[in-house]
């Protein structure tokens, strides 16, 4: 019985820590969305542009496979495909077939997407500094 009681109370610190992490994440995402909205982007939109801008992909090419992007931005494949579709419609990215695998899709920044990323990157980094630096 004593072992069960200690098992039940020990994780409460972890639960509290987890909830604190979630709260910081939620506040930071809201602030990012608010600041980036002025530029026509959301936080997830910017993350995709940021991944593409910081390339190259694993194989050294300019474009990233959708699976590579999904692994870095933590979106489902379907949510990421919809997001990429919106970015493509806005002229920020281009999609094309993978030369090595006809089933795969490669995504790369357009000049317009690269320019917007360069304009918005300092805004995003300032929000991260403000929200995540110690004592913030």
């Amino acid at each position: 019985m004593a072992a069960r009681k200690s098992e039940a109370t020990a994780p409460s610190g972890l639960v509290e820590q987890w909830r604190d992490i979630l709260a910081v994440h939620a506040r930071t995402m809201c602030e990012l969305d608010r600041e980036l909205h002025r530029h026509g982007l959301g936080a997830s939109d910017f993350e995709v542009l940021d991944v593409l801008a910081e390339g190259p992909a694993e194989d050294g090419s300019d474009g990233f496979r959708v699976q590579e992007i999904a692994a870095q931005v933590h979106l489902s494949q379907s949510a990421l495909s919809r997001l990429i579709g919106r970015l493509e419609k806005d002229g920020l990215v281009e999609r094309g077939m993978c030369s090595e695998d006809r089933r795969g899709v490669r995504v790369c920044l357009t000049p317009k997407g690269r320019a917007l990323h360069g304009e918005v990157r300092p805004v995003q980094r300032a929000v991260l500094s403000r929200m995540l630096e110690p004592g913030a």
Side-chain angles (χ1 to χ4, degrees), residues 55-110:
E58 289 176 6
D59 63 3
S61 66
D62 287 338
F64 282 74
R65 293 175 64 110
V66 174
Q67 297 91 327
E68 292 174 316
I69 300 168
Q72 293 189 52
V73 298
H74 309 291
L75 293 173
S76 69
Q77 188 107 12
S78 62
L80 180 58
S81 291
R82 288 189 302 274
L83 187 151
I84 290 169
R86 288 192 311 272
L87 295 175
E88 185 177 39
K89 183 180 171 194
D90 292 341
L92 302 174
V93 302
E94 293 176 337
R95 284 190 273 199
M97 300 303 283
C98 292
S99 58
E100 67 277 3
D101 177 4
R102 291 271 201 230
R103 295 170 297 161
V105 174
R106 252 191 212 290
V107 181
C108 61
L109 282 176
T110 63

Side-chain angles (χ1 to χ4, degrees), residues 24 28 125-136:
V24 168
T28 304
R125 298 306 198 258
V127 170
L128 293 182
S129 292
R130 188 169 66 245
M131 301 298 291
L132 301 176
E133 284 185 347

